Amino acid sequence: MDEKSTEKKIETYNIENSKSQLRKGFLEFSVLLIIGTQPTYAVDILKQLKEANLLVVEGTLYPLLSRLKSQGIVSYSWEESKNGPPRKMYSITKDGKTFLAVLEEYWKSLDSIITIFIKQYEKSN
Amino acid sequence: MKKVTSITLGGVVFAIEDDAYEKLSEYLSTIERTFSGNTDYHEIALDIENAIAEKFTQAGKSEKHAVSVQDVEHVIGEMGTAEAVASEDMASHTKHTEEPSKEKGGAGATRERRFYRDTEDVIIAGVASGIARYFDVDPVIVRVLFVISIFFNGFGFFAYIILWLIVPPAVTTAEKYAMRGERVTIEEITEQVKKNIQKIDEKKIGEATRGVWTNIRGFLQNIFTFLGRFVRFFFKIITMIIGLGLLLLGAFGIAGLVSAASVLWLGESAWIRPEFQEVVNVLFANPAGYLFTSAVLITVIIPLLVSIILGSSLISGKNLFTLTKGIILGVVWIAAVTLAITLGIVYQPIRIETDRFLADGIFYVEQSTIHIQGLPRTEALH
């Protein structure tokens, strides 16, 4: 009885862990796609990511944005906000666009391979 | 009923309940420490601070609507604990987070706790509460020690005054953080463990002694608040008296000097005693005499003006000295002194007359007469 429940716990823990690994892999790419579409506030990036279930804790976004900025992939400008502190409006840089193009290319190839794997797997079952 | 402090987050002012403040400031400092391996850790911490400010604003929190512990917990839940934030970000940050211990130690030094006067817990000037913050003890205990040490040759009194003058008050948010900041420890883990043990200890001791200590503490706190009010009132009265004295000294001094000078300049003989008349005549025989008396007048009036400004500053409780005022007064004063001295040396009649009167023993005009050796004395010049 006891052993079984601990086993189950480990299982759910592992699933959560794997999911979070996958999310981490997608996060940077997703953020770049959102910013690349149009200049966006951090709050609105968070909103979209949360709706897509790609983000659990909001705090994660800020180190990521800071790193992308220092790598010259995104840049930001300060915008006054009517109620509350000024906000950073993030937009993608020229370098960022080339960077994103490479990622997109790679994602598409990954996607087709994963789709093939999934199809193979589903056929076998 | 809860005590409320005001803080700025991302430049916006919020009222926040004290327990909520503790929680939030601990959260923010752990965030900062967690990212201390990152070169942009300051910016990340600021971003998170701004995001929290925005969340509070959206929740309708403001200067008037205080932030509670629940609000802080809610926000931390959405933001994620420092550990959660760091672990989620690890994929993209492996290099940074893999060797954090050394860098953390380095960056921890910048979060070193500093000694400030606590402007939020003031009896007289926040010295005792500042010490208490620094050593992590109850301010009431420090105050008791101060009062006791007064009976040892007034040691506590002088120590307090000196600390008041030397130690800066914690005014900005950064200074308040530094005042409450974590002390540097060699290893983060030991610190964390210690903290947990301390919490348990505090709980146990707290439960056992809560009743008695709360009563004593409350009683002492009341006494100190009362004493503080009394001492502050006393200081205020003293400052007022000194201020008024300076103001009157300046005002009457200037009035007296100006009327004396105008009597001299107008040469109204009816007002001047006959013994002086001769001096006055000689003095103003040359136009330089007017210049000399004016220079002397200005030399004396400027310190009196300073006394007036100082007095009114003390009375109004505002610093009425400005840089421009200081510079103008200083320059004019130095010019007047230079002029007076130069004229005093160059312009003979002043010296001669003074000399003669001093010799005659009638009276004493200028103490500062300069004798130049080798110059012929009065008779020779006449």
Side-chain angles (χ1 to χ4, degrees), chain A residues 6-64:
Chain A
T6 43
E7 252 174 41
K8 241 188 179 176
K9 256 185 198 168
I10 291 170
E11 217 169 76
T12 51
Y13 173 77
N14 281 341
I15 285 173
E16 279 314 307
N17 201 28
S18 300
K19 276 187 183 172
S20 119
Q21 290 295 334
L22 283 179
R23 277 200 305 268
K24 277 177 207 166
F26 297 143
L27 188 62
E28 182 175 341
F29 185 38
S30 315
V31 167
L32 284 176
L33 286 173
I34 293 170
I35 298 174
T37 312
Q38 61 180 64
T40 323
Y41 292 122
V43 194
D44 297 325
I45 301 173
L46 283 173
K47 213 185 266 170
Q48 295 195 45
L49 289 175
K50 282 200 138 180
E51 277 167 12
N53 233 335
L54 270 170
L55 197 71
V56 178
V57 286
E58 296 181 12
T60 322
L61 182 67
Y62 300 100
L64 174 62

Side-chain angles (χ1 to χ4, degrees), chain A residues 20-21 23-25 28 43 46 50 54-60 62-67 69-70 76 78 81 83-88 90, chain B residues 9-12 27 35 38 40 43-44 46-48 50-51 53-55 57-58 77-81 84-85 87-93:
Chain A
S20 119
Q21 290 295 334
R23 277 200 305 268
K24 277 177 207 166
E28 182 175 341
V43 194
L46 283 173
K50 282 200 138 180
L54 270 170
L55 197 71
V56 178
V57 286
E58 296 181 12
T60 322
Y62 300 100
L64 174 62
L65 286 173
S66 149
R67 182 170 56 81
K69 195 216 83 190
S70 58
Y76 63 75
W78 286 102
S81 144
N83 43 359
R87 293 164 150 191
K88 283 177 180 171
Y90 288 90
Chain B
L9 269 185
V12 185
Y27 176 68
F35 289 111
N38 194 320
D40 292 320
E43 192 175 9
I44 296 170
L46 214 66
D47 279 345
I48 289 176
N50 280 344
E54 207 157 311
K55 280 179 188 298
T57 313
Q58 268 168 13
E78 280 188 328
M79 266 308 171
T81 58
V85 172
S87 76
E88 282 276 323
D89 191 46
M90 216 173 277
S92 47
H93 259 289

Side-chain angles (χ1 to χ4, degrees), chain B residues 72 156 205:
Chain B
V72 173
I205 299 166

